[in-house]
Amino acid sequence: MTENEIKLLRECNFGSKMALDTLRRVQDDAKSDDLQALIERTIASHESLGERLHELLGEVGEEAKEPNLMEHSSVVMSVGMKLMVENTDRKIADFLTDGTNMGIKKIKGYLNKLAGRDERVREVAERLLHVEQEFVEALGAYL
């Protein structure tokens, strides 16, 4: 596994962890059972991807890092402020869509720039993209 592929795995891991932080933060705020179920399924997908990312990073002696306190606090505060202004499923879907689209752009850019020959690395990054793209598509019903 090349250094670039390790960096891609780190970035995928970071993006997935940030998504999990946000999803867990809004999970109980969703009003509709369908949106709550969508969020729960997406959390489960990210947890599964996280396990695979940890496994691949562990193979090369890398530790999967958690978002630091400042990054975590930023997510919590941002979500809290947005929900304080308007706590509706539409608002939740709106900012989840924005955040997920940012994640898609980042991971796609890293994938195009950093992916090498290791198919396992490419596969997990593409799975992350697929989860995120499906999530954005499903969120469209709440906008």
Side-chain angles (χ1 to χ4, degrees):
M1 195 177 304
T2 67
E3 190 58 40
N4 279 347
E5 289 169 324
I6 294 168
K7 184 173 182 177
L8 175 58
L9 289 174
R10 280 191 215 121
E11 293 301 331
C12 287
N13 184 66
F14 178 81
S16 185
K17 295 234 183 246
M18 291 298 286
L20 276 170
D21 276 356
T22 304
L23 292 168
R24 287 179 177 138
R25 171 62 186 85
V26 301
Q27 184 175 14
D28 293 332
D29 290 306
K31 308 291 183 248
S32 96
D33 291 341
D34 290 343
L35 181 57
Q36 282 187 353
L38 173 62
I39 291 169
E40 287 171 15
R41 284 192 308 274
T42 307
I43 287 171
S45 293
H46 276 285
E47 288 172 340
S48 173
L49 282 165
E51 289 172 12
R52 181 66 174 140
L53 289 161
H54 291 189
E55 180 183 307
L56 289 170
L57 286 166
E59 285 180 16
V60 293
E62 288 284 323
E63 197 173 305
K65 294 185 174 79
E66 299 292 323
N68 68 39
L69 182 59
M70 189 65 140
E71 292 159 334
H72 175 75
S73 297
S74 173
V75 167
V76 170
M77 286 177 51
S78 175
V79 170
M81 289 175 67
K82 288 176 182 176
L83 290 179
M84 217 182 312
V85 173
E86 181 184 346
N87 190 347
T88 64
D89 283 353
R90 192 200 74 67
K91 187 62 174 180
I92 291 169
D94 183 53
F95 72 78
L96 287 176
T97 298
D98 288 346
T100 304
N101 280 329
M102 283 191 308
I104 289 169
K105 281 175 53 178
K106 278 189 171 187
I107 297 304
K108 209 170 225 345
Y110 284 122
L111 183 58
N112 291 338
K113 180 178 164 187
L114 300 174
R117 296 176 188 251
D118 192 324
E119 285 300 315
R120 300 169 307 158
V121 174
R122 180 177 293 282
E123 185 267 334
V124 74
E126 287 175 350
R127 271 183 47 210
L128 176 57
L129 280 174
H130 182 73
V131 165
E132 297 288 272
Q133 290 165 336
E134 281 190 338
F135 187 51
V136 166
E137 183 68 28
L139 286 171
Y142 302 94
L143 296 175

